[in-house]
Amino acid sequence: MVCHAGPVTTTWRHLPASAREIAEAATEAVDAARDRDAGAYGPAADRLTAADRAGLVLGGVVRLLLEETHPDGLDGDDVRQVLERCVRSAAQWRPDVDPHVLLVLLAGALGVYDPGDDDAPPDPAAIARHAPLLVADLLAAAGRPLEGYLSAAFAEVARTELHD
């Protein structure tokens, strides 16, 4: 069962237009995933696909959630449990869920994914269709809303860009 923390009250007006688009699309997609609303999920995932750097931001959200839900670190069994839980939950309403794409998302968020190891890395559209499923699942496990993680991920991206 997925918990719902109530209506979204965060506005993203303070963000630049490109970041605001990511925040709004991510919020819509994660809400649709949480609610298992296939009709709303597709358009929101399409918005994420079109939003430059959405994968980077959602990867940051995934990493933050993994760190919080596994404060002692993750081992292979932990990754497998997260992957299995997310796939089982998503497959109930998204029969096209691809465990490989979710595994790439997990590995990428943990900083251990090397695209050279993969014969055909997932395309940005596949990442955009799967990232909100993983985020919604991890949020349910954490029992927290998306907004704080999304804000922290944007701050992390901004810090990284400042130092590069």
Side-chain angles (χ1 to χ4, degrees), residues 70 80-90 137-138 141:
H70 298 85
R80 184 177 34 68
Q81 288 174 354
V82 168
L83 182 62
E84 287 176 357
R85 185 186 64 224
C86 183
V87 169
R88 282 190 181 117
S89 176
D137 183 76
L138 290 168

Side-chain angles (χ1 to χ4, degrees), residues 30-124:
V30 170
D31 286 350
R34 180 201 58 231
D35 296 339
R36 298 177 179 207
D37 182 346
Y41 191 79
D46 290 345
R47 279 182 72 189
L48 281 173
T49 300
D52 187 38
R53 304 176 65 84
L56 181 64
V57 173
L58 287 174
V61 170
V62 169
R63 187 188 54 73
L64 292 165
L65 281 160
L66 289 170
E67 288 175 354
E68 182 172 308
T69 56
H70 298 85
D72 296 327
L74 281 90
D75 61 20
D77 287 338
D78 295 325
V79 171
R80 184 177 34 68
Q81 288 174 354
V82 168
L83 182 62
E84 287 176 357
R85 185 186 64 224
C86 183
V87 169
R88 282 190 181 117
S89 176
Q92 294 175 11
W93 68 282
R94 298 268 327 161
D96 62 341
V97 66
D98 185 340
H100 176 73
V101 176
L102 291 170
L103 181 59
V104 167
L105 285 164
L106 283 167
L110 295 170
V112 297
Y113 177 67
D114 179 4
D117 293 343
D118 203 346
D119 290 334
D123 65 19

Side-chain angles (χ1 to χ4, degrees), residues 128-149:
R129 284 190 309 272
H130 286 75
L133 300 172
L134 183 56
V135 170
D137 183 76
L138 290 168
L139 286 169
R144 307 261 178 134
L146 173 63
E147 292 78 19
Y149 297 100

